[in-house]
């Protein structure tokens, strides 16, 4: 059977079963087993065992449950509430101060947890009622929470970045470093948009009541930054100082999260049990999808599908930038229907040979990939952030308001994607500098 025929059969079978509503992990595994038997017979099922063993013994993927556990503990530690109180004091005088502060906290949370849901859920509970109570425009309030929450995809330690690095077989540390500048740029774009919109139309974010707050109280609130800063530096600092691998740094982060919860008086048996159950659920989902995708892609590769696709694209003699734009378009389109873990595991093994053949940097491409993931997270109909925020919407605000709220921020993400495509050094400079420093 030709590789083209196999690819077509696998693709349309995958699409059909996904449209039926079956979970992605079970769709991938069932199709992989079926096509393995059809192509090579029952004896070839050893392939599924080998791929499963490869996933379960991966040192890189071991970081995932540790980072998820760290995020789950921090979410229950009381740190986020303390940060929000400090933000209210320091940003209240800025145009759109609460919205700007919300983006700032989402940026800090991204650097602490690397998980989108944690920031969106926390800000939906804390920041959304506060902004609405003070007369902020509903779309402005919802937009900053949804867009700010997605920064956890790009800013390290991001779970999705780890999955990408493991699948593309590149350094997790370099991918972490590559996400820092783009993450800060996106955060800055969101803040600039809020400030400029509010200055042009003050009714979107009314100024707070003229209540005097003493400098002593303001500086006293900064103590809430100590623990988050300590956690961020202990995780990322240990990686870039060459003291620990990303997996070992994740264990350091878990210890830091536990100490933070103890200092906040929130390290209880109930909180630890809930955090452990969250970790079990998220890790199990990721691992099942990873196993299914590894087996599925290995069949596609084993039949020569990847080589045939690469040869087909090279024979077209297209401009390499047109090929890159086509891949970005495919990723955005898939993001409307699939979760990002599944897209990474399905597309990266197929795209990487094309990226190498056209001379693109895989780390730079990884950041572009992660920005498309951010876009997918806030894009209807299946954007994960939309579902996270739906659970905390107050009465009277429907999902149509949320859909309109994310549009300006989606445009900002597209602008950022174009910016980093045109200026790759914005992405590659920091990881290259850190690599040279570690070597020297």
């Amino acid at each position: 059977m030709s590789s083209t025929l196999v690819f077509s059969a696998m693709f349309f079978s995958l699409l059909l079963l996904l449209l039926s509503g079956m979970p992605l992990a079970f769709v991938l595994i069932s199709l992989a087993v079926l096509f393995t038997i059809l192509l090579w017979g029952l004896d070839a099922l050893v392939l599924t065992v080998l791929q499963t063993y490869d996933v379960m013994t991966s040192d890189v993927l071991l970081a995932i449950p540790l980072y998820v556990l760290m995020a789950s503990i921090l979410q229950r530690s009381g740190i986020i509430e303390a940060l929000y109180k400090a933000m209210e004091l320091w940003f209240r005088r800025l145009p759109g101060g609460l919205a700007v502060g919300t983006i700032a906290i989402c940026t800090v949370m991204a650097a602490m947890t690397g998980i989108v849901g944690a920031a969106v859920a926390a800000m939906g509970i804390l920041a959304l009622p506060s902004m609405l109570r003070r007369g902020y425009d509903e779309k402005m309030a919802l937009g900053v929470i949804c867009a700010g929450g997605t920064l956890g995809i790009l800013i390290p330690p991001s779970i999705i970045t780890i999955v990408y690095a493991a699948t593309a077989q590149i350094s997790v540390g370099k991918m972490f470093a590559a996400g820092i500048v783009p993450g800060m740029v996106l955060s800055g774009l969101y803040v600039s948009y809020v400030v400029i919109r509010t200055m042009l139309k003050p009714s979107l974010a009314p100024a707070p009541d003229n209540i005097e707050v003493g400098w002593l109280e303001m500086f006293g609130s900064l103590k809430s930054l100590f623990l988050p800063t300590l956690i961020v530096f202990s995780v990322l600092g240990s990686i870039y100082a060459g003291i620990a691998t990303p997996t070992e740094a994740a264990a350091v982060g878990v210890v830091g999260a536990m100490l933070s919860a103890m200092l906040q008086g929130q390290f209880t048996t109930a909180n630890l049990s809930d955090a452990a159950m969250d970790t079990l659920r998220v890790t199990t989902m990721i691992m099942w999808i990873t196993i299914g995708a590894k087996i599925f892609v290995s069949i596609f590769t084993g039949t020569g599908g990847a080589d045939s696709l690469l040869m087909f694209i090279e024979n077209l003699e297209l401009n390499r930038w047109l090929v890159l734009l086509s891949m970005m378009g495919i990723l955005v389109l898939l993001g409307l229907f699939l979760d990002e873990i599944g897209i990474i595991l399905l597309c990266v093994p197929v795209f990487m040979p094309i990226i190498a053949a056209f001379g693109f940097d895989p780390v730079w491409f990884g950041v572009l990939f992660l920005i498309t993931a951010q876009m997918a997270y806030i894009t209807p109909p299946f954007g994960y952030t939309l579902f996270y925020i739906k659970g905390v919407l107050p009465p009277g605000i429907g999902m149509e308001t949320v859909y309109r709220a994310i549009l300006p921020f989606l445009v900002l993400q597209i602008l950022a994607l174009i910016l980093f495509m045109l200026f790759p050094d914005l992405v590659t400079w920091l990881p290259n500098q850190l690599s040279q420093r570690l070597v020297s």
Side-chain angles (χ1 to χ4, degrees):
M1 191 181 296
S2 71
S3 58
T4 304
L5 185 59
V6 172
F7 171 74
S8 301
M10 293 176 71
F11 175 77
F12 285 111
S13 300
L14 176 65
L15 186 63
L16 182 64
L17 290 179
L18 286 175
L19 290 174
S20 73
M22 286 181 63
L24 176 62
F26 301 123
V27 168
L28 291 171
I29 291 172
S30 59
L31 286 178
V33 170
L34 175 64
F35 278 96
T36 299
I37 295 172
L38 290 176
L39 291 170
W40 300 304
L42 287 171
D43 290 343
L45 285 177
V46 68
L47 175 69
T48 63
V49 178
L50 294 174
Q51 294 295 336
T52 302
Y53 181 79
D54 185 52
V55 171
M56 301 311 293
T57 56
S58 169
D59 289 337
V60 174
L61 294 178
L62 180 60
I64 291 176
L66 292 171
Y67 281 121
V68 174
L69 180 60
M70 179 182 77
S72 299
I73 293 172
L74 287 172
Q75 198 172 358
R76 294 168 173 82
S77 67
I79 288 178
I80 299 167
E81 288 81 355
L83 277 173
Y84 187 74
K85 290 177 182 176
M87 176 275 296
E88 282 192 299
L89 293 176
W90 280 93
F91 290 99
R92 63 196 177 91
R93 294 297 182 193
L94 272 177
L98 287 183
V100 171
T102 299
I103 295 168
I105 291 181
C106 286
T107 305
V108 174
M109 287 186 66
M112 284 197 303
T113 65
I115 294 178
V116 173
V120 175
M123 290 299 96
I125 293 169
L126 289 172
L128 183 58
S130 180
M131 285 190 278
L132 295 178
R133 189 167 55 248
R134 299 186 189 187
Y136 273 58
D137 179 70
E138 292 174 351
K139 294 190 288 295
M140 172 77 79
L142 291 166
V144 296
I145 293 172
C146 291
T150 62
L151 292 170
I153 295 174
L154 199 54
I155 297 174
S158 163
I159 301 298
I160 292 180
T161 299
I162 295 171
V163 177
Y164 174 85
T167 308
Q169 297 182 341
I170 56 180
S171 166
V172 175
K174 288 191 75 171
M175 278 304 305
F176 276 178
I180 293 174
V181 172
M184 293 298 105
V185 169
L186 266 169
S187 180
L189 283 175
Y190 298 157
V191 169
S192 300
Y193 167 76
V194 169
V195 171
I196 293 170
R197 278 292 310 276
T198 306
M199 290 175 67
L200 294 174
K201 192 176 181 182
S203 61
L204 291 174
D209 297 330
N210 192 22
I211 300 174
E212 290 299 324
V213 178
W215 285 104
L216 187 63
E217 184 181 353
M218 290 180 67
F219 280 106
S221 69
L222 291 180
K223 66 183 181 182
S224 62
L225 286 172
F226 174 74
L227 290 175
T229 303
L230 186 64
I231 292 169
V232 171
F233 276 98
S234 65
V235 173
L236 299 183
S238 61
I239 295 173
Y240 299 129
I243 300 171
T245 65
T247 302
E248 293 164 345
V252 173
V254 171
V255 174
M258 288 180 173
L259 290 174
S260 300
M262 287 178 188
L263 292 173
Q264 296 287 117
Q266 298 296 324
F267 191 67
T268 62
T269 304
N271 281 344
L272 186 60
S273 175
D274 289 343
M277 286 304 297
D278 281 352
T279 304
L280 180 63
R281 280 193 292 269
V282 173
T283 305
T284 302
M285 177 196 72
I286 292 174
M287 288 303 166
W288 272 115
I289 293 174
T290 304
I291 291 169
K294 286 272 287 185
I295 301 169
F296 189 86
V297 171
S298 67
I299 296 171
F300 175 68
T301 305
T303 57
D307 294 334
S308 298
L309 181 61
L310 177 59
M311 189 179 301
F312 172 74
I313 292 174
E314 288 179 335
N315 288 338
L316 290 176
E317 298 182 355
L318 295 173
N319 183 282
R320 66 176 193 152
W321 292 100
L322 187 59
V323 175
L324 179 68
L325 286 173
S326 300
M327 287 192 284
M328 292 293 105
I330 291 169
L331 294 176
V332 172
L333 182 63
L334 289 175
L336 300 178
F337 307 103
L338 293 178
D339 68 272
E340 293 312 308
I341 301 293
I343 295 173
I344 289 170
L345 295 167
L346 287 172
C347 293
V348 168
V350 177
F351 284 177
M352 275 300 111
I354 300 171
I355 292 299
F358 284 97
F360 291 120
D361 187 325
V363 173
W364 170 72
F365 176 75
V367 169
L368 301 183
F369 197 118
L370 294 175
I371 294 174
T372 65
Q374 286 189 317
M375 294 164 63
Y377 260 72
I378 63 171
T379 304
F382 300 118
Y384 277 81
T385 300
L386 306 179
F387 292 109
Y388 295 143
I389 199 69
K390 183 180 180 181
V392 295
L393 284 179
I397 298 180
M399 286 304 293
E400 65 279 358
T401 305
V402 179
Y403 294 154
R404 291 198 301 270
I406 56 92
L407 288 177
F409 297 93
L410 186 61
V411 171
L412 291 175
Q413 290 175 346
I414 294 171
L415 291 176
L417 181 66
I418 295 170
L419 176 69
F420 299 127
M421 288 176 68
L422 295 176
F423 302 100
D425 287 346
L426 289 172
V427 175
T428 58
W429 177 82
L430 184 57
N432 290 340
Q433 290 296 313
L434 290 172
S435 296
Q436 290 173 11
R437 186 171 298 178
L438 288 175
V439 170
S440 59

